[in-house]
Amino acid sequence: MKITLLKILFGIIGFIIGGTIAIAMVIPLLSNLIGNEIVLDVVHIFVTLGVAIFLYRLAVKHLLKGNK
């Protein structure tokens, strides 16, 4: 139960960090190149999900390695 709650917490934190990275770094750089707002929104979603999945996998891998 404890590990499941930690996984959920890591997923939420990863999603927040991913959204912050996308807003702070990726979107300002791409907004100069891409004028279409819909495309920027789609890129924002994919960057946020990509970073969140990466951070979640990294955190869970270290969590499971620590429990062995």
Side-chain angles (χ1 to χ4, degrees):
M1 179 73 176
K2 179 181 172 185
I3 292 177
T4 305
L5 292 175
L6 281 174
K7 286 181 180 181
I8 292 171
L9 181 67
F10 289 148
I12 293 170
I13 291 172
F15 193 76
I16 292 170
I17 292 172
T20 305
I21 289 173
I23 290 172
M25 299 174 133
V26 176
I27 299 302
L29 293 174
L30 288 179
S31 65
N32 295 330
L33 301 172
I34 302 171
N36 191 349
E37 184 120 359
I38 295 173
V39 174
L40 284 174
D41 289 341
V42 171
V43 169
H44 179 252
I45 290 169
F46 280 113
V47 169
T48 301
L49 288 175
V51 172
I53 290 170
F54 172 76
L55 290 175
Y56 175 79
R57 286 182 179 173
L58 185 68
V60 169
K61 180 174 71 172
H62 287 293
L63 174 70
L64 294 177
K65 189 184 293 184
N67 282 338
K68 286 185 178 181

